[in-house]
Amino acid sequence: MSGGFVGVDIFFVISGFLIGGIVDREIGEGRFSFIAFYARRARRILPPLLVVALATQGAGLLLLGPDELAGLSYSIGAALLGASNLWFWHATGYFSPDARSLPFLMTWSLGIEAQFYLLLPPVLLLLRGLSRYWRIAIVGMVTATSFALGLLLSARYPVESFYLLPTRAWELGAGVLLALVGQRAGFNRMAPAWGREALALAGLVAIAAAILRYNEGMAYPGIAALLPVAGATLVIATPGSLVDRALLGRRPLVAIGLISYSWYLWHWPLMAYVRILSTTRPTVALMTLVAFAAIIPAWLSWYYVERPARRARGDVASLRQWGGAVAVVAPLCILVGLFGGWPARLGPQGREIAHVLASNPGAACLTSENDDRPIATGPCVIPASKPGMALLGDSHAAALAPALRAQTIGSGRTWVQWTKSACPPLLGAARRRPGHPDETRACMAYSHAAITAIAADPMIDTVVLTAFWEAPFDTRARRLGQVYTDGRADRPREAVLADALTRTLATLTSAGKQVILLGDVPYLPVNPVGELYTMHLPARSVLQTLFSPAWHAHDGLIPRSAIGQATRAPAILAQAARRTPGVFYRPLDEILCSSTACRFALGGVPLYRDPQHLTTHGAAFVMAHGKMG
């Protein structure tokens, strides 16, 4: 389901309602205790989380390469310390692996929860002397402020808006407000019977619409999050409705509710490991089977871990017990991360792979999606006495930068690298993602500033242009509504790219620059580094054969037939180069591929760091084997 991620928003409303109601009631009765509150939270959250953490970390030692294990270890440590959302906010970047392959990603919402637990009781205690209406009003203002902040930041700072509490607090606040109002007024008196039924049905429809119609290309959690949050709020606010009686109150769903926390913890690591261990993309049928198979460890975890822990008595003892367990496990996991994911497990070859992946100097001059000005200092601009080269493009261009820079400054020539994530070097056009208008504006402004500055710079005589040209043409991009745009409505993306590229080439060549236009590297259907790890991890090799029996990469080569061919962009690039004197066009796939296979590694050393970006070794290989003009 394309909008399945809204389950987190629904969960936040439920959590705000439950925890807000408990704290408010205990404060009102004069029996609230921080020790008792946090002891209950520890007994509820930590025991199954620790079990899943140890199981996931153990599997990682057997199945993951050094960089994969290091990332997992850090995320487990952060999750146990209540900071998982902060870790993923910090670690998520353009070169991050596919989020669906991060085994502990699901715990980011637990980080939000933990921070909510720290803040809510003090806030409600501060408000205890006020009247009910003032307390509701103040909580309502905080909730509204958080909602407004989310609206402001979701387009320009989507990662921060997604992972951080200030832009998520309004979802929890909606539940808290419901608890403050409902516990005093009584939900059943808020509307007549027919009105409650209508509200409950409207809530269920809103939730279903979000789950079925939303997709990952949306700006989230902006205004779009209002639909599932409002839906959850309406359903909770109407107990005893037909929706409750006929659906949510049925014993099978109640049973799922009992094990839902453990199921939530177990399902994602299992699904992530299947994705990691599959050479090709796992089928929907396989992932559905894995998700439902997770009910088995979830039930065992609920029965033998959750239930006994929640029935335990002794608040101080509980805090010491589970706090002590976290104090041991979290540092050990973080230590594995600090040691680079223990590359010695894979022998000398594993250490070499880890070293290659750790080196990514081109990323230092890769500006973020929302920056609209090139970086004119540091390693991005290296002046010299002789005219030299400028590299313009996106992250694919940045991956080539180390090899090009070494050649240029080695001959005493000027070097400029102006690269920006997800931003092709085009005058008057950019890639557009629905819901992210600031990225499109920033890309156009950045490209205009960079290209016009390079055209006017007498110390630049050669310009290299490259990007992920095919990105708006692939199936996933079309499904998410990503296109090339120049601001004019209803123009075909092919025409926009052709016109903008021709305009860019003409501007540079008329300024006397030699332009080298590079086609893109092949987009691999597999994780190339994972394929190298498989050769050194026996358990991973066995399981990969189980999940992907059809074929495997061998000797650093992937069959050409397994790689989807770029169809639109190469023809547009070649035609624009032919029409513009002074432009040399070089398709990079001709360097990395033969008629039968494409190379992703050489001598066990990765040429790619992920399915689309070259390593420093890959960039050097391309430069060494490709005649650039």
Side-chain angles (χ1 to χ4, degrees):
M1 297 180 181
S2 60
F5 54 83
V6 304
V8 173
D9 306 89
I10 298 165
F11 161 68
F12 283 155
V13 178
I14 297 171
S15 180
F17 173 69
L18 291 174
I19 303 303
I22 290 170
V23 174
D24 181 64
R25 183 169 58 253
E26 291 185 352
I27 290 174
E29 295 171 357
R31 57 185 181 88
F32 177 80
S33 162
F34 279 103
I35 291 177
F37 175 74
Y38 291 120
R40 289 197 302 268
R41 294 296 89 207
R43 289 194 295 265
R44 175 74 176 97
I45 292 172
L46 290 179
L49 180 61
L50 280 162
V51 170
V52 175
L54 291 171
T56 306
Q57 182 77 3
L61 289 168
L62 294 174
L63 301 173
L64 299 183
D67 61 303
E68 296 170 328
L69 181 61
L72 171 63
S73 301
Y74 280 129
S75 66
I76 290 176
L80 293 175
L81 295 174
S84 184
N85 60 319
L86 302 179
W87 163 252
F88 286 112
W89 164 56
H90 165 75
T92 300
Y94 202 82
F95 289 101
S96 298
D98 183 348
R100 293 170 299 178
S101 298
L102 299 175
F104 239 53
L105 179 68
M106 79 290 183
T107 59
W108 74 266
S109 59
L110 285 184
I112 296 281
E113 282 284 298
Q115 292 143 36
F116 170 66
Y117 296 155
L118 290 176
L119 294 176
L120 180 68
V123 169
L124 293 183
L125 281 168
L126 286 173
L127 301 179
R128 63 182 169 181
L130 301 177
S131 69
R132 174 170 67 95
Y133 297 104
W134 273 110
R135 289 156 62 197
I136 291 171
I138 292 172
V139 172
M141 285 189 289
V142 173
T143 301
T145 301
S146 171
F147 178 64
L149 190 64
L151 291 182
L152 290 173
L153 298 183
S154 58
R156 185 166 177 80
Y157 299 103
V159 176
E160 290 82 354
S161 182
F162 189 90
Y163 283 118
L164 299 184
L165 177 63
T167 51
R168 289 284 192 170
W170 68 275
E171 303 178 1
L172 293 147
V176 175
L177 281 172
L178 202 56
L180 295 180
V181 172
Q183 286 183 324
R184 301 293 194 277
F187 293 134
N188 290 331
R189 290 183 291 164
M190 294 174 63
W194 66 266
R196 291 197 303 273
E197 297 295 347
L199 290 174
L201 183 59
L204 190 64
V205 169
I207 292 171
I211 291 173
L212 297 174
R213 301 298 299 173
Y214 284 7
N215 63 57
E216 61 197 84
M218 302 173 65
Y220 205 84
I223 190 69
L226 196 57
L227 188 63
V229 169
T233 303
L234 289 174
V235 170
I236 297 172
T238 51
S241 67
L242 182 62
V243 168
D244 269 359
R245 301 193 308 273
L247 181 63
L248 300 181
R250 292 291 183 179
R251 293 186 66 180
L253 289 186
V254 172
I256 288 174
L258 289 175
I259 67 166
S260 61
Y261 176 53
S262 283
W263 194 10
Y264 152 82
L265 291 177
W266 279 104
H267 89 286
W268 190 262
L270 291 174
M271 293 172 69
Y273 274 121
V274 169
R275 292 187 179 102
I276 291 169
L277 298 170
S278 298
T279 303
T280 56
R281 185 172 182 175
T283 64
V284 173
L286 174 60
M287 298 310 292
T288 303
L289 177 64
V290 172
F292 279 96
I295 289 178
I296 298 172
W299 185 87
L300 294 172
S301 178
W302 169 75
Y303 192 84
Y304 291 106
V305 179
E306 271 195 78
R307 288 203 321 163
R310 293 178 70 178
R311 291 172 177 172
R313 293 291 179 265
D315 294 334
V316 174
S318 293
L319 287 176
R320 286 176 177 171
Q321 177 184 7
W322 299 114
V326 167
V328 172
V329 176
L332 287 176
C333 291
I334 293 171
L335 197 62
V336 174
L338 290 173
F339 278 92
W342 195 6
R345 293 175 299 127
L346 279 68
Q349 193 70 60
R351 288 192 291 270
E352 175 66 14
I353 295 172
H355 175 73
V356 170
L357 294 178
S359 174
N360 190 18
C365 296
L366 183 66
T367 62
S368 69
E369 288 92 336
N370 294 307
D371 290 332
D372 58 8
R373 286 292 179 269
I375 302 173
T377 58
C380 310
V381 178
I382 304 176
S385 58
K386 294 190 292 186
M389 175 182 289
L391 172 65
L392 306 179
D394 60 8
S395 59
H396 290 209
L400 293 172
L404 288 170
R405 180 171 59 209
Q407 290 181 6
T408 303
I409 65 176
S411 57
R413 303 170 64 210
T414 299
W415 166 258
V416 175
Q417 178 194 342
W418 283 342
T419 49
K420 174 177 165 58
S421 294
C423 183
L426 299 170
L427 278 175
R431 282 168 54 186
R432 184 188 72 199
R433 291 196 303 159
H436 297 271
D438 283 346
E439 289 183 13
T440 304
R441 177 205 58 79
C443 178
M444 287 190 179
Y446 182 98
S447 294
H448 184 270
I451 293 168
T452 54
I454 292 300
D457 190 345
M459 296 307 294
I460 297 295
D461 58 15
T462 304
V463 182
V464 177
L465 303 176
T466 190
F468 188 7
W469 305 109
E470 189 73 12
F473 298 120
D474 68 21
T475 303
R476 178 175 175 272
R478 290 197 297 272
R479 176 172 57 84
L480 298 178
Q482 297 181 17
V483 296
Y484 281 114
T485 180
D486 57 6
R488 290 179 284 177
D490 301 325
R491 291 200 71 207
R493 65 197 79 190
E494 294 87 352
V496 174
L497 174 59
D499 291 349
L501 182 59
T502 300
R503 184 164 53 246
T504 303
L505 297 178
T507 298
L508 293 170
T509 55
S510 64
K513 315 299 181 185
Q514 179 191 1
V515 179
I516 300 173
L517 179 63
L518 300 181
D520 206 12
V521 297
Y523 195 119
L524 305 181
V526 298
N527 173 8
V529 178
E531 290 299 307
L532 293 177
Y533 290 150
T534 301
M535 301 176 188
H536 304 283
L537 293 167
R540 181 168 180 151
S541 179
V542 170
L543 290 173
Q544 189 180 81
T545 303
L546 174 66
F547 291 123
S548 301
W551 63 272
H552 296 290
H554 295 287
D555 300 322
L557 296 170
I558 294 178
R560 188 78 188 246
S561 59
I563 299 176
Q565 297 296 306
T567 56
R568 312 283 184 85
I572 296 172
L573 267 62
Q575 185 178 54
R578 285 194 302 268
R579 290 178 174 177
T580 313
V583 176
F584 173 78
Y585 172 57
R586 185 70 160 108
L588 295 185
D589 61 350
E590 293 181 358
I591 302 171
L592 290 162
C593 301
S594 67
S595 59
T596 58
C598 290
R599 181 164 293 284
F600 69 90
L602 185 63
V605 177
L607 302 182
Y608 281 76
R609 68 175 56 254
D610 59 34
Q612 56 177 307
H613 295 101
L614 296 175
T615 61
T616 52
H617 280 62
F621 179 88
V622 166
M623 292 301 110
H625 292 80
K627 296 180 180 179
M628 301 296 168

